[in-house]
Amino acid sequence: MVDRDHPKLSVREQAELLQLTRSSLYYRPRPPDPIEETLKREIHTQYLMTPFYGARKMAVHLRSLDYKVGRKLAASLMRALGIRAIFPKPNLSKRRQDHKVYPYLLGGLTIERPNHVWATDITYIPTPGGHVYLVAILDWASRKVLSWRLSNTLSTHFCLEALDEALACCGKPEIFNTDQGCQFTSENFTERLKASGIAISMDGKGRCLDNIIVERFWRSLKYEMIFLHEFTTMAELRERIARYMDFYNDKRPHQSHGYETPTAVYAKAA
């Protein structure tokens, strides 16, 4: 919008007319630090194998790989990735204090039929150009992925898009389980569930194993696809994920289902 070679108006005058500060005209986003992105990938890979590692042990692990990393840097990178050691401790998980948190409804519950319980979560995916976020909604009994969305920001919007798609294509569950992340405790998200007559369940603070079905799916996705490829663009990553979702739902046999696929088990609800 600013013409730096305008014959009559200077850059300052154009900025004033557009009600922009001159400093904003010269701002350029900082490109991802390749070393920092490498460290994040190393942390994320190790976290999948040892989710009980805190910043101190993660720093020791990184130093064993010849990276000069201290506890504070490891802690900063783990915060940027949104991951924490899973053992209980004070302030393990952060949430919006002004958002309502709902009780966990799955304790002791027998979940044997599709559309009884759906569950969702967000995971981080490293790419050469920076990290992106993936949200998925799964049917708990069949393990079928009902919908998913990819985003480069941790907004509520892409979670709502995934929820709307799942409700539109698959009906609705009796119970919907999430963690206490602000995307899922937001009024926009919870009101959408309540308007559909769905009971809301949320993991206990610091208890990622309360949502173990989605956690196991993330592990399968990353070890069977994400860590085997390098993605140069968001479009390429999205296309690869779409192919894996089709494979996981329709072709990958699941041992707990007697080697039936999630789609075959889910279809029994019809």
Side-chain angles (χ1 to χ4, degrees):
M1 296 176 66
V2 174
D3 183 355
R4 300 180 186 277
D5 299 318
H6 196 282
K8 295 183 179 180
L9 295 175
S10 67
V11 171
R12 179 183 61 79
E13 291 170 328
Q14 292 178 70
E16 289 176 353
L17 289 171
L18 294 170
Q19 297 183 330
L20 299 172
T21 60
R22 288 185 65 189
S23 61
S24 66
L25 302 179
Y26 301 100
Y27 171 75
R28 295 291 183 275
R30 182 175 68 88
D33 184 330
I35 296 177
E36 184 176 300
E37 292 302 317
T38 298
L39 290 173
K40 285 180 178 178
R41 284 193 289 271
E42 294 288 359
I43 288 173
H44 190 258
T45 300
Q46 184 63 28
Y47 180 77
L48 288 174
M49 295 184 287
T50 55
F52 47 86
Y53 270 20
R56 286 183 175 85
K57 287 187 176 179
M58 195 63 75
V60 171
H61 166 68
L62 292 172
R63 288 197 294 271
S64 73
L65 301 176
D66 295 329
Y67 295 109
K68 296 181 179 179
V69 176
R71 180 186 63 82
K72 290 185 178 180
L73 177 56
S76 175
L77 294 172
M78 290 177 73
R79 283 195 301 271
L81 296 175
I83 60 177
R84 301 174 180 87
I86 65 170
F87 56 82
K89 63 180 181 179
N91 298 319
L92 181 67
S93 59
K94 300 293 183 180
R95 64 177 179 86
R96 282 282 300 271
Q97 296 300 318
D98 56 328
H99 286 181
K100 180 179 178 180
V101 173
Y102 292 76
Y104 184 65
L105 304 180
L106 308 187
L109 182 67
T110 300
I111 307 170
E112 296 179 335
R113 64 185 185 279
N115 288 348
H116 185 187
V117 176
W118 291 359
T120 189
D121 193 15
I122 299 171
T123 194
Y124 152 94
I125 298 177
T127 71
H131 52 271
V132 297
Y133 303 96
L134 174 66
V135 64
I137 296 176
L138 276 72
D139 175 72
W140 191 288
S142 66
R143 274 62 162 180
K144 181 176 181 178
V145 181
L146 306 177
S147 65
W148 59 275
R149 283 294 187 279
L150 198 63
S151 175
N152 55 12
T153 64
L154 272 174
S155 67
T156 302
H157 181 70
F158 82 119
C159 300
L160 284 170
E161 285 187 344
L163 175 60
D164 287 341
E165 180 184 336
L167 293 174
C169 75
C170 306
K172 67 177 185 178
E174 297 175 30
I175 302 172
F176 195 99
N177 190 72
T178 75
D179 63 19
Q180 296 184 21
C182 61
Q183 295 82 10
F184 305 126
T185 59
S186 69
E187 187 172 330
N188 286 338
F189 198 92
T190 56
E191 287 301 317
R192 196 77 55 95
L193 294 172
K194 289 192 286 186
S196 299
I198 300 169
I200 302 172
S201 170
M202 291 185 178
D203 302 346
K205 186 177 180 182
R207 291 183 55 84
C208 69
L209 296 183
D210 284 348
N211 213 359
I212 188 62
I213 294 300
V214 186
E215 295 294 336
R216 287 174 177 170
F217 170 70
W218 291 149
R219 184 178 178 88
S220 297
L221 170 72
K222 290 177 179 179
Y223 275 93
E224 295 175 8
M225 194 276 287
I226 297 294
F227 293 160
L228 300 180
H229 304 279
E230 184 170 322
F231 310 98
T232 56
T233 66
M234 189 84 153
E236 182 183 353
L237 174 60
R238 184 176 285 108
E239 191 270 337
R240 284 277 191 173
I241 291 175
R243 285 164 54 185
Y244 181 82
M245 296 300 190
D246 289 342
F247 163 75
Y248 180 88
N249 280 338
D250 302 332
K251 297 180 180 179
R252 184 182 186 276
H254 206 290
Q255 185 176 5
S256 65
H257 295 328
Y259 295 101
E260 288 190 280
T261 65
T263 294
V265 175
Y266 185 80
K268 295 177 181 179

